[in-house]
């Protein structure tokens, strides 16, 4: 079987995230569901649609830490502790990034930003609670599409620092 190029994989339904996972040779599972644009929380919608506990589904947020865009990956059941995020990367102040800048920099749309396969590799912090699970789910690069993989593989592929950045 011939290996598909990144562009061919994306054209056949793959996303930059799934292309990156395939290229890395890690085990992962893609979960697709019908996205409801009126749902108040993309992450909670994903957890419900997949029948997965919200503490295993992680959302990808982009923050500005002292002028550097930084990715935070936290459980959808909680929120991001901006002070803890700043501390995790040796910064002083963190604020949520401008959504348009986050989309332009990552190459994904809000609600579908994946920590994997981003247009520009950004510093990444994964909430340490991920290590309590054999697998976690993160966006596969578009609304209605999640990818399930081990937290170890997620941390390795994104170069993530593990730190307690989530709040319940």
């Amino acid at each position: 079987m011939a290996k598909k190029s990144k562009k061919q994989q994306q054209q056949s339904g793959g996303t930059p995230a799934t292309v990156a996972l395939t290229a890395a040779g890690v085990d992962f599972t893609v979960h697709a569901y019908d996205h409801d644009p009126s749902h108040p929380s993309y992450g909670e919608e994903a957890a419900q649609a997949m029948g997965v506990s919200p503490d295993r589904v992680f959302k990808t947020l982009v923050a500005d830490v002292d002028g550097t865009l930084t990715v935070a990956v936290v459980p959808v059941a909680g929120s991001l502790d901006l002070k803890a995020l700043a501390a995790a990367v040796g910064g002083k102040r963190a604020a949520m990034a401008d959504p348009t800048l986050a989309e332009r920099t990552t190459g994904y749309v809000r609600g579908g930003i994946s920590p994997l396969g981003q247009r520009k590799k950004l510093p990444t912090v994964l909430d340490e609670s991920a290590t309590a699970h054999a697998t976690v789910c993160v966006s596969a690069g578009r609304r209605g599409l999640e990818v399930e993989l081990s937290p170890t593989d997620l941390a390795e592929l994104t170069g993530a620092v593990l730190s307690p950045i989530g709040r319940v």
Side-chain angles (χ1 to χ4, degrees):
M1 179 158 112
K3 189 168 183 173
K4 293 182 180 180
S5 72
K6 192 173 188 176
K7 187 171 186 173
Q8 288 171 323
Q9 287 180 29
Q10 289 173 351
Q11 289 172 341
S12 66
T15 65
T18 59
V19 170
L21 288 164
T22 301
V26 301
D27 289 331
F28 68 97
T29 304
V30 175
H31 299 275
Y33 61 92
D34 290 327
H35 166 63
D36 176 3
S38 67
H39 199 286
S41 167
Y42 296 122
E44 289 178 13
E45 175 192 29
Q48 290 169 359
M50 294 186 301
V52 174
S53 172
D55 63 339
R56 279 191 49 226
V57 179
F58 284 66
K59 57 189 168 187
T60 306
L61 303 171
V62 181
D64 180 322
V65 179
D66 298 334
T68 301
L69 288 183
T70 303
V71 174
V73 185
V74 297
V76 301
S79 60
L80 172 62
D81 181 336
L82 288 165
K83 284 186 179 184
L85 175 64
V89 294
K92 294 182 186 211
R93 297 187 57 137
M96 293 308 296
D98 173 71
T100 303
L101 180 60
E103 289 178 343
R104 188 171 47 243
T105 304
T106 64
Y108 294 115
V109 297
R110 199 167 60 148
I113 294 178
S114 177
L116 301 155
Q118 295 181 355
R119 183 177 288 150
K120 179 181 179 188
K121 189 166 173 87
L122 299 173
T124 302
V125 181
L126 174 60
D127 186 70
E128 67 182 9
S129 69
T131 61
H133 308 286
T135 61
V136 294
C137 298
V138 295
S139 176
R142 67 175 175 252
R143 296 173 189 151
L145 197 65
E146 293 281 311
V147 65
E148 181 177 354
L149 73 163
S150 80
T152 303
D153 287 339
L154 178 60
E156 284 180 21
L157 292 173
T158 59
V161 171
L162 289 171
S163 188
I165 60 168
R167 283 191 277 194
V168 179

